[in-house]
Amino acid sequence: MSGRTVLLPRSNKNSVTLPQNHSISAVVSILGNPIEYLKGVGPYRADLLKKELQIFTFNDLLNLFPYRHVDRTRINLIRDIGPDIEFIQVAGRITSVEVLGVKSSRRLVAELKDASGSLELVWFQGIAGLQKLIQVGAEFLVYGRVSFFQGSPQITHPEIEVLVKQPEGQATLEPVYPTTEKLKVKGLGGRQLGKLTQTLINLVKERDVPENLPGHVLEYMDQEGQPQRLLGRWEAYRQIHFPTRPDLFQQAVHRLKFEELFLAQVRLGMIKSKRHRYSHGVVFGQVGEVFNKFYSEYLPFELTGAQKRVLKEIRKDTGSGRQMNRLLQGDVGSGKTIVALLAMLLAIDNGYQACLMAPTEILARQHYEGISALLKEMPVQVRLLTGSSKSKSRKEVLEMAKEGELHILIGTHAVLEEAVQFNNLGLAIVDEQHRFGVEQRARLWKKAAIPPHVLVMTATPIPRTLAMTAYGDLDYSVMDELPPGRQPIVTVHRLDDRRPQVMDFMRHEIAKGRQVYVIFPLIEESEKVDYENLLRGYENIKAWFPEPKYWISRVDGRQKQEERETNMQRFLQNDTQIMVATTVIEVGVNVPNATVMVVESAEKFGLSQLHQLRGRVGRGQEKSFCILLTSPRLNKEARERLNTLCATNNGFKIAEKDLELRGPGDISGTRQSGMLNFKLANIVQDRELLELAREMAEKILDKDPDLEASENTGLKVFLQTQHGKTQWSKIS
Ligand code: ADP
Ligand code: MG
């Protein structure tokens, strides 16, 4: 894997250069060899393998895992093909071959006959090559997904190869690899790649694939206290490609999945432990006047237990002399803002400045207004800086920040600009983290000689397993408690034809003095249609709620900044009772008087997004409602999303479900790193294995944080050879 980026220049073909970061043990291993030197490959196929499958070295091929195995002794009869068999393997003789159709429907059609019946084979690509291979009268073994065309079975683009009689009674499992059409045409189909792996496996010695797990990890006690043994590394590679027994194959998969997860956890753990031991941080040694005065006189409510706990964690980090790098996970409405404010006051008490970044202008302004109001009577200087700050006030803010007169700067990513300099920034807080890129956040670091403490607050919870892999190098706080007095939001799913009743309900709530959101989807791919829907929906609602009895705000991304702001402000001040908007208001907006959230075309939203939207209501003492409107035509997954949302208000549960439904790749708020793209393991399905890997990695690093012990040498050397594979940024 480490050789992946190494392309040998053509002129240099015969001298093997190795990547700089290879350690000695990798240099002697045959696995670093360029793939063209494997018998049966050569320069032409090597180019294809590189382009199509990113296979550059022997090692890359070794790590191309089969997606299934063929048991040649298990051959179906064509007669047995029925609707409940999806994939079949049949053997028979070709009775006809012809090319039909023209242009895009040009295809090669062959008939395959066995003792029980006949089957049609169809190809749209690679016709010329196949015509040579497939001759009438020849016998083939064929594998593929069956479909029915006008009642008769056929396979489109089957895997096909000349039938060779198998020795009786011996079941061998042959690997089939993921491949591409281009490779298939050049004789490197899913099964043919197996010939190359066979050659490779025969060539590779055990010492080329040294064990990288320490002995006490290979032999471990499971959660029930039963001794377990993982398959050795070399054996695992052999078995995953060419299993000799089904149970050994299972063990091989298990071992290699564990290895992936474990190595990732060790890497993350080492980064974290290095930061804990060596990073310098400014010290917030005392809780002073500012914090105490605010806490005793102006704090508008009693903190929840979770808020207190997180504050303690922050105090401990910031007082330790090392840099804090903490992820704060809290459900929507759990009260992260006040925690941020108190942490900033702590910074001020210790002579440092603080900065709070929000992803949108609306949010930054809202934080600014909320925090300024809370600090009205306090000797604390707070300013706002956004893209639309006027140049005069901007200049003043920049000067104050630089001179140290400014205590708290609140803003959008405008605060990241070069021009923004602090006298002594001690704490940087990033709110609603998923809108900010890694790079952007890393820029905060450079704003002080000693990097400021960093607190990253998520908009919605991230499942534990995901957090463990994507943010495993950060310290981690959870606020799993809502402020008291909150009533769960009543969530219902209604079909479009019930809109009149929904409107009646809105009217009823507005009559009680409450406010209502109506959200329309705006999805990039169908932006135009969505936008028209939004406008139509807006007109429609205006007809139901006519002026001057009712006033409506409209907020969407196409409006001019100013118009959007004005509309937002009017809703915030309760001058308008209804807010019609797209998801621009999704994150963070806080209007405690709003009690109804209506989501139009709710099936178009993701689960976490819906939860986030719902979190805009239920922020005050009043009972709140979320109404999900959809058309009656819903696919299974959409139905499941809606059901989940109606069933629970718990953001952590919803995050788990979201992960399960969508897989790790799509979850917003995850770091764009290779971390989640495991080759074999899957953090949803292999969750227990992940927990185990995490536990074992922690145990090792607790005792031996730099992997100096001789029992951990193999692991350390291996990690060094992998170095450079993943780019680790210092900050989440
Ligand atoms: P989020 O975690 O979603 O950012 P906020 O910080 O916006 O949540 O807080 C949501 C609402 O709850 C705000 O109106 C805030 O004033 C209120 N709140 C926060 N903490 C408490 C508390 N301990 N008791 C009562 N209300 C609280
Ligand atoms: Mg918030």
Side-chain angles (χ1 to χ4, degrees), residues 86 105 128 141 146 207 351 582 588 701 723:
E86 201 183 355
S105 73
L141 186 67
V146 192
R207 65 174 161 80
T582 58
L701 293 176
H723 183 74

Side-chain angles (χ1 to χ4, degrees), residues 359-426:
T360 65
E361 178 118 15
I362 290 172
L363 281 181
R365 185 172 298 271
Q366 185 180 283
H367 276 322
Y368 172 71
E369 277 159 12
I371 286 172
S372 305
L374 285 169
L375 295 178
K376 202 166 61 208
E377 307 292 328
M378 300 279 305
V380 176
Q381 291 293 332
V382 188
R383 290 291 183 280
L384 176 69
L385 185 73
T386 70
S388 63
S389 295
K390 299 272 179 314
S391 63
K392 184 161 159 268
S393 85
R394 185 182 148 84
K395 212 171 137 217
E396 192 188 283
V397 171
L398 293 188
E399 221 164 274
M400 285 177 76
K402 197 165 176 197
E403 296 304 317
E405 291 159 44
L406 181 63
H407 298 114
I408 295 178
L409 179 63
I410 297 175
T412 54
H413 39 263
V415 307
L416 295 172
E417 285 162 21
E418 204 74 27
V420 182
Q421 301 205 339
F422 292 90
N423 179 41
N424 58 352
L425 181 66

Side-chain angles (χ1 to χ4, degrees), residues 180 387 564:
T180 65
R564 201 159 72 203

Side-chain angles (χ1 to χ4, degrees), residues 119-172:
L119 170 72
E120 211 170 68
L121 310 175
V122 185
W123 289 269
F124 291 91
Q125 272 158 337
I127 293 176
L130 287 160
Q131 269 178 309
K132 279 186 212 131
L133 174 73
I134 301 172
Q135 306 281 346
V136 172
E139 286 186 304
F140 290 97
L141 186 67
V142 169
Y143 175 88
R145 184 197 294 268
V146 192
S147 57
F148 287 87
F149 184 69
Q150 295 178 346
S152 28
Q154 66 171 31
I155 306 180
T156 307
H157 283 239
E159 290 167 19
I160 181 162
E161 64 184 71
V162 176
L163 184 66
V164 186
K165 288 272 176 292
Q166 292 293 307
E168 285 289 315
Q170 194 195 349
T172 50

Side-chain angles (χ1 to χ4, degrees), residues 439-455:
E439 299 300 312
Q440 287 182 316
R441 270 173 273 132
R443 273 198 251 165
L444 273 173
W445 280 62
K446 305 195 184 106
K447 296 211 176 273
I450 298 178
H453 297 299
V454 176
L455 181 68

Side-chain angles (χ1 to χ4, degrees), residues 286-299 303 311 315 338-339 341-349 378 380:
Q286 54 160 349
V287 180
E289 182 107 0
V290 177
F291 186 103
N292 284 332
K293 188 172 167 68
F294 178 80
Y295 200 95
S296 58
E297 290 177 31
Y298 302 112
L299 190 66
L303 293 185
L311 265 177
R315 273 210 59 201
I338 199 78
V339 171
L341 174 57
L342 287 165
M344 292 196 287
L345 298 183
L346 188 63
I348 296 167
D349 268 338
M378 300 279 305
V380 176

